[in-house]
Amino acid sequence: MELSAHPKRIVQFALFEFTRFMFTKRGIIALIGFTAIWLIALYDFVAKAADIISSPHFADFVKQGFGLAGMSKLLDWPVAEMSIYWMIAAITFPFFTLFVASDQTCSDKQRGTIRFLSLRASRLEIMLGRFFGQLAVVSCLIIITLIAVISMAIYREPSNAMDAMSIALELFFKLVIAVTPFVGVMTFFNSYLTSSKQAIIHFILFFAVGSILIGLGQHYIGDFVSWLLYIYPTHSFIDVVSLKADIIQSVVTPLIQTSVYLTLALVIMKRKAL
Amino acid sequence: MTTLIHAEALNKFYGKKHALKDVSFTLESGEPVALVGPNGAGKTTLFSILCGYLQADSGKLELFGRPGFGSHCFGHLAALPQDAQLDPRFSISKQLGFFAKLQGMSGKQAAIETERVLDLVALTDAKNERPQALSHGMRKRACIAQALIGAPSIVMLDEATAGLDPKHAKEVREVVAQLSGDITFVLSSHDLAELERLCSRVYYLEMGQLSQYFSDQSESNANYFTVRLRQQHEGFVELITGMQGVLNVTETQDREFTIKVAQSEQPFDIGLLSTLHQNNIEYRQLNNGKTLENQLFSE
């Protein structure tokens, strides 16, 4: 099977993902849930960011969750709204991404729609188009939340504008790179499954059972087994969230993980009958 | 004529089942071609290999002069795969427009092309409907429409008229007949009368083997006539056997007779019609040659 990829067709698939997101039940449910969570987050936490950050309990909370290094970085940010935003976004976006990206090709395979597509595009194009489309959808949602937070920060203190925008830009790239392997791992599960529910269940099993096995391996074989934790998109993500990650952990590791997931997905897709 | 498909010794196994056995054929551009065979004969497997949905386990396949299914086939090879459905969440025009864009058309061209192909299958009024709002037959026609997008050289229709009402089945046949000057259709169907009407070449697949090949012009079909009577007529066989040039008359089905004649410069059918008229025998149908059904199953 040919491995050709035409950028124009990949872009077509990616653009169509927006339509699939906006006009499908799963997409609409995700969007409603996303809006509800972020309205609460913005109203209850981000709007009160300055008060929360100055609270004595906050430092303890952040220290427990993010460690000392993370806490000092978070508290160093001149815009309180951004610190609170990062804490919420870093936890919610990966899970949201898993849900949103859970149906990339599986339902098309189940009903045979992929046969219409594969007469017009290679399997690689379909896979990459859907992957980049899902990543673009999540990136747009990240941008929307960042715009909301920047607006709130400027509304509270207009002089925050430049700082807020500069931190927002940095956070945008960090978040996008951090969620990329989550989209990629779903591309992998989509390569052999035929429903989004199965994809989510397989991820949970992969995560739960795999973690137990690696834990046992560490105990009985040796600590080097912990390297296997890099098979999980969550592994580097924890360091990224807690702001402890260096460039390798925050950029290189997620990109390598994504490349591995996509390569495995392609190998499976190439071999599978449609 | 251009060679569209060249297959050599294609084999496909499903576990221990040998689904395709050394299938070899060459398909040139031209009139519609039929692929027939009983259920489980391997027709869909062969279609799937030609469309790149499946890979053959061994053998050689060339499409448009290049090996296997690949990007060189996009827009040139179209198909109505059996059981494939459009996405129920989007209107058919949205989906067909997307397919057209994948084939390299601009948004405007895609919209025009979508209108054109939906018009061909009489679905213009339903263009904004989602597939789930359409009847089975309309969904099938929408799927046929997607196969006609652009200017494909070859269109493979797997059971295209199955489940369609007679009116729309006829419309689909008319579309095939109308476009067969520009497109080479490969039709798979169990409706032999339909294939007979449309195709001059027939591939017969049985137990995974492409074992027979028939055509209107084939020698095995020359010097035969098939007549179907309106009513049973005693002494018909004797009457026709007594005509000049008749070698043999066989009753192939109830009120259907195959007549073998000697090669002659005199047109036999004129004499046959005259004999029927003189003996007040009403006939329903007269075929020049054997029916496809008799070619396939009566020998």
Side-chain angles (χ1 to χ4, degrees):
Chain A
M1 221 142 286
E2 199 179 326
L3 266 182
S4 65
H6 195 289
K8 205 174 162 188
R9 283 194 287 267
I10 294 174
V11 170
Q12 286 295 347
F13 275 108
L15 290 174
F16 200 70
E17 282 308 279
F18 281 93
T19 315
R20 277 174 26 105
F21 181 71
M22 297 299 291
F23 294 98
T24 61
K25 200 171 139 196
R26 193 178 48 82
I28 291 167
I29 290 171
L31 205 55
I32 292 170
F34 175 84
T35 311
I37 288 168
W38 276 97
L39 280 177
I40 294 168
L42 291 171
Y43 183 76
D44 281 344
F45 300 105
V46 178
K48 297 166 189 165
D51 296 336
I52 293 172
I53 283 206
S54 56
S55 135
H57 303 298
F58 181 74
D60 288 340
F61 173 73
V62 174
K63 200 157 61 178
Q64 278 175 11
F66 288 57
L68 262 178
M71 183 191 74
S72 74
K73 278 191 187 170
L74 261 184
L75 296 179
D76 273 354
W77 287 351
V79 185
E81 285 81 358
M82 286 298 170
S83 305
I84 300 293
Y85 171 81
W86 178 251
M87 291 171 68
I88 300 165
I91 294 161
T92 55
F93 268 111
F95 296 104
F96 180 72
T97 303
L98 284 176
F99 182 71
V100 169
S102 62
D103 181 11
Q104 295 181 32
T105 52
C106 52
S107 64
D108 276 352
K109 273 187 292 182
Q110 205 254 335
R111 80 173 89 78
T113 313
I114 201 159
R115 293 181 180 185
F116 299 130
L117 301 173
S118 70
L119 290 170
R120 299 165 168 96
S122 69
R123 296 182 188 199
L124 177 62
E125 287 164 350
I126 297 172
M127 189 193 82
L128 288 180
R130 291 280 163 87
F131 167 79
F132 284 118
Q134 296 293 342
L135 193 59
V137 167
V138 177
S139 303
C140 283
L141 295 173
I142 293 172
I143 289 173
I144 292 168
T145 55
L146 279 169
I147 290 171
V149 175
I150 292 169
S151 309
M152 291 171 89
I154 295 174
Y155 179 75
R156 181 177 63 83
E157 180 55 65
S159 63
N160 277 339
M162 288 313 291
D163 284 333
M165 279 190 269
S166 134
I167 297 172
L169 194 66
E170 184 193 337
L171 294 190
F172 170 72
F173 285 113
K174 274 191 169 158
L175 272 175
V176 170
I177 291 171
V179 298
T180 300
F182 287 86
V183 182
V185 79
M186 278 300 165
T187 308
F188 166 71
F189 286 118
N190 269 253
S191 65
Y192 68 93
L193 295 172
T194 52
S195 92
S196 59
K197 280 180 197 153
Q198 284 178 359
I200 290 171
I201 291 167
H202 275 234
F203 176 79
I204 293 168
L205 289 175
F206 166 65
F207 187 76
V209 177
S211 301
I212 292 168
L213 292 176
I214 292 169
L216 289 173
Q218 271 179 277
H219 184 74
Y220 290 106
I221 302 169
D223 247 1
F224 67 92
V225 177
S226 64
W227 276 90
L228 286 174
L229 289 168
Y230 277 100
I231 62 173
Y232 296 116
T234 43
H235 191 59
S236 56
F237 187 74
I238 293 164
D239 288 337
V240 174
V241 168
S242 57
L243 300 169
K244 287 185 290 193
D246 53 21
I247 187 80
I248 291 182
Q249 285 166 316
S250 60
V251 178
V252 179
T253 307
L255 294 183
I256 290 175
Q257 285 176 319
T258 307
S259 311
V260 172
Y261 298 139
L262 294 184
T263 307
L264 289 174
L266 183 64
V267 168
I268 295 169
M269 272 188 84
K270 261 180 67 190
R271 286 165 178 268
K272 269 199 95 73
L274 296 181
Chain B
M1 278 210 275
T2 321
T3 300
L4 302 175
I5 302 173
H6 177 67
E8 255 180 61
L10 292 180
N11 282 283
K12 180 71 192 172
F13 292 86
Y14 294 115
K16 284 181 182 170
K17 193 189 170 200
H18 200 168
L20 286 185
K21 296 172 187 169
D22 288 325
V23 168
S24 300
F25 68 98
T26 298
L27 182 69
E28 312 273 354
S29 59
E31 288 182 27
V33 175
L35 179 64
V36 294
N39 289 334
K43 299 188 296 291
T44 300
T45 299
L46 182 57
F47 262 66
S48 297
I49 289 172
L50 298 177
C51 293
Y53 305 145
L54 266 181
Q55 274 189 302
D57 293 318
S58 66
K60 184 179 155 193
L61 174 66
E62 278 185 5
L63 296 162
F64 308 104
R66 290 170 64 182
F69 185 93
S71 57
H72 63 285
C73 301
F74 298 160
H76 297 292
L77 188 152
L80 167 73
Q82 201 180 24
D83 299 331
Q85 293 167 30
L86 292 169
D87 196 324
R89 299 167 293 190
F90 310 110
S91 70
I92 53 173
S93 62
K94 179 114 197 146
Q95 294 185 68
L96 266 56
F98 176 57
F99 296 155
K101 283 182 196 165
L102 284 177
Q103 287 181 216
M105 294 183 202
S106 67
K108 200 176 169 186
Q109 286 171 325
I112 294 168
E113 185 62 6
T114 301
E115 290 272 348
R116 183 186 75 84
V117 294
L118 286 176
D119 185 46
L120 283 174
V121 295
L123 275 182
T124 309
D125 292 342
K127 67 176 181 180
N128 293 322
E129 298 287 352
R130 292 178 187 189
Q132 60 196 16
L134 304 176
S135 68
H136 171 75
M138 290 166 94
R139 285 201 294 268
K140 189 77 166 258
R141 277 148 58 205
C143 291
I144 293 171
Q146 66 76 33
L148 303 174
I149 292 172
S153 308
I154 179 166
V155 173
M156 296 196 258
L157 303 177
D158 199 358
E159 299 285 355
T161 53
L164 293 188
D165 58 72
K167 179 177 177 276
H168 289 115
K170 183 171 177 279
E171 280 176 7
V172 169
R173 284 195 290 270
E174 280 170 2
V175 168
V176 171
Q178 183 192 329
L179 298 177
S180 59
D182 307 314
I183 299 171
T184 302
F185 284 92
V186 179
L187 308 169
S188 146
S189 172
H190 288 297
D191 185 345
L192 297 180
E194 170 181 284
L195 295 177
E196 198 164 26
R197 211 170 292 161
L198 292 168
C199 307
S200 57
R201 290 173 287 171
V202 178
Y203 288 105
Y204 183 65
L205 195 62
E206 188 173 23
M207 306 279 282
Q209 286 182 304
L210 201 63
S211 54
Q212 296 176 61
Y213 173 74
F214 301 93
S215 100
D216 283 350
Q217 290 78 37
S218 69
E219 274 185 28
S220 64
N221 205 26
N223 304 323
Y224 280 94
F225 289 88
T226 304
V227 63
R228 195 170 294 151
L229 303 183
R230 197 173 287 280
Q231 286 161 347
Q232 191 63 266
H233 189 90
E234 272 187 43
F236 179 80
V237 174
E238 292 74 17
L239 176 71
I240 301 302
T241 309
M243 285 179 68
Q244 197 180 0
V246 172
L247 300 176
N248 184 25
V249 180
T250 318
E251 185 166 5
T252 42
Q253 285 185 53
D254 181 38
R255 287 173 284 151
E256 185 190 276
F257 301 86
T258 299
I259 306 162
K260 187 178 182 186
V261 297
Q263 216 154 18
S264 161
E265 287 187 5
Q266 297 297 318
F268 174 77
D269 44 0
I270 304 291
L272 176 66
L273 288 173
S274 186
T275 304
L276 294 177
H277 181 69
Q278 283 163 12
N279 289 278
N280 285 326
I281 302 171
E282 287 185 64
Y283 73 97
R284 191 184 287 273
Q285 197 177 330
L286 175 64
N287 277 33
N288 196 342
K290 294 180 193 172
T291 62
L292 181 58
E293 191 178 12
N294 288 334
Q295 289 183 67
L296 293 173
F297 305 117
S298 294
E299 289 179 16

